[in-house]
Amino acid sequence: MSDAAVRRPPTEDPRMWDAFVGIGLAVLAVVACFAAAPLPIALGIGAVVVLAAAYVGLARRAMLLDVPSTAFQVVAVLAAGVAAWAYGPMGAVQALVAPLLWATSGPSVRRAVVANVGLFGAVFAAFALEGAAVWLLATTQALSFAFSMVIGLWISGLARANEERASLIAALERAQASVARLSGEQATAAERARIARDLHDTIAQDLAAIAMLAQRGTPDAAVLAAIEETAQRSLAEVRGLVAASAGVGLDDGLAVALQRLGARFEAETRIPVAVDAAAVDLPVDAEVALLRTAQEALANVRKHAEAAGVRLSLVAEGPDAVLVVADDGRGFDRATVTRGLGLVGLDERVSLAGGTLEIRSSASGTTVTARITGAEAAP
């Protein structure tokens, strides 16, 4: 058997042990008083006092720190032997001392076993000196020792299982924190990739066009007009990217965030936005996905739609949260137009949150519908 096969957590609250030892010693003191002569009474009471002092001075500290206490174990074994020799019924002291020997053995099972062997051997010797039947006494002590071993190993096994469970829980929490961190890093990387695509597809091409126009020699009025138009388009693209990436707090819920987003968009573009957002309960990642989808859709309205009005709504339909951003602009053909619309980013963002994205566009406007399962209408 390994000397450190079991490690129990320290005893943080010893009050249960205090109650167990206090009641046990009080009962033993009463039993000692039934002895027929003054000497056995004095020895019995003396053993009880010694055990109490050893518990308070040695055992309690050892249990709190989960360290072994050889001094307590030696004193406890000798006191138990003296008590049993002084008065036979005081042999019940081993029922009190045996668990204390386990508790003061620290992480070592071997030490606990040796200490219990010493305890039951001392009580056996005390009874034998009093002339008890050796074979009957040996059988009784052997059974008592076996019972102590079973209970001690069982309790130690439970403690070890609890420690392993605590270790597994701690490992799981660390893994969850790592997953959350990696997910955040993945989301950041995806957002950077989206911005890089948009910069390449829009502003970089516009700047290249401006450079080509400027290299034609002496610019005429038509070239200057083309440069101005391209620069204005690039400025609109930059503003759209900023609007799509700007932070809108979710502290007050998704519905309030959408209200703020619509109000800000209307103030910046002078395009009326009708917001009808119901309060729904969603996981944080789903709320972020829907909010970013609304931002991206409004950024596309700003850059491309030439709309006169926008409607933004959020409703709970059964288990789904449905976000709709609709405008009355000029629309586009998704099969042929991808430049600067951020459509891939929209699809990826909603898909990562476990939802679906539908985009319908015609000459009379565009409707972006994001649907994520797992919503509940807020009370």
Side-chain angles (χ1 to χ4, degrees):
M1 182 177 294
S2 172
D3 188 51
V6 177
R7 174 169 289 278
R8 300 176 308 283
T11 303
E12 296 178 356
D13 186 357
R15 287 179 294 180
M16 291 296 294
W17 279 109
D18 293 346
F20 169 70
V21 174
I23 294 172
L25 291 177
V27 171
L28 288 172
V30 172
V31 171
C33 293
F34 286 93
L39 180 60
I41 294 176
L43 289 175
I45 297 295
V48 169
V49 172
V50 169
L51 283 173
Y55 172 76
V56 173
L58 300 172
R60 205 169 186 272
R61 178 178 178 276
M63 289 189 293
L64 285 171
L65 300 178
D66 193 29
V67 296
S69 176
T70 302
F72 170 78
Q73 291 178 336
V74 171
V75 171
V77 168
L78 292 176
V82 170
W85 176 77
Y87 184 43
M90 289 289 289
V93 69
Q94 60 191 356
L96 173 67
V97 174
L100 289 175
L101 295 180
W102 278 96
T104 56
S105 293
S108 174
V109 173
R110 181 179 301 167
R111 176 186 290 271
V113 173
V114 171
N116 273 270
V117 169
L119 170 67
F120 288 97
V123 175
F124 173 83
F127 283 148
L129 291 174
E130 288 294 307
V134 174
W135 288 110
L136 177 60
L137 179 59
T139 302
T140 302
Q141 289 300 96
L143 292 175
S144 299
F145 174 77
F147 179 76
S148 174
M149 292 298 99
V150 170
I151 295 299
L153 291 173
W154 176 63
I155 293 175
S156 296
L158 289 178
R160 180 175 56 185
N162 287 336
E163 186 179 43
E164 291 175 351
R165 182 178 62 180
S167 177
L168 289 174
I169 291 174
L172 178 60
E173 291 175 346
R174 289 193 298 270
Q176 289 175 334
S178 177
V179 169
R181 177 179 56 80
L182 292 175
S183 298
E185 293 175 355
Q186 181 181 10
T188 300
E191 192 70 11
R192 289 174 178 171
R194 180 189 70 82
I195 294 174
R197 284 198 305 268
D198 285 348
L199 289 173
H200 177 270
D201 292 346
T202 58
I203 299 171
Q205 294 183 26
D206 288 339
L207 292 176
I210 291 173
M212 292 177 62
L213 289 171
Q215 291 171 359
R216 289 184 178 181
T218 303
D220 54 21
V223 171
L224 291 176
I227 290 175
E228 180 181 2
E229 179 184 357
T230 305
Q232 291 289 348
R233 186 169 64 244
S234 296
L235 180 60
E237 296 283 1
V238 171
R239 287 173 175 169
L241 285 173
V242 171
S245 303
V248 179
L250 283 167
D251 293 343
D252 297 323
L254 179 59
V256 175
L258 292 175
Q259 293 281 357
R260 292 172 180 167
L261 179 64
R264 187 171 70 185
F265 179 85
E266 183 172 339
E268 293 174 351
T269 63
R270 305 297 182 187
I271 300 174
V273 180
V275 181
D276 180 16
V280 294
D281 290 332
L282 282 170
V284 174
D285 58 340
E287 289 187 342
V288 172
L290 291 179
L291 179 60
R292 291 301 185 189
T293 299
Q295 287 180 299
E296 187 68 52
L298 290 176
N300 286 333
V301 174
R302 179 198 298 263
K303 292 185 289 185
H304 307 292
E306 299 178 0
V310 180
R311 177 174 58 85
L312 193 159
S313 67
L314 174 68
V315 297
E317 294 182 358
D320 298 341
V322 182
L323 172 74
V324 177
V325 182
D327 67 72
D328 58 1
R330 56 191 176 94
F332 66 95
D333 182 1
R334 187 173 182 180
T336 59
V337 178
T338 60
R339 180 179 184 271
L341 294 179
L343 301 179
V344 175
L346 282 176
D347 284 332
E348 290 177 350
R349 181 176 291 118
V350 176
S351 177
L352 286 173
T356 58
L357 183 72
E358 180 184 9
I359 301 176
R360 295 181 180 180
S361 189
S362 65
S364 59
T366 300
T367 300
V368 177
T369 304
R371 181 183 297 270
I372 294 180
T373 302
E376 294 181 2

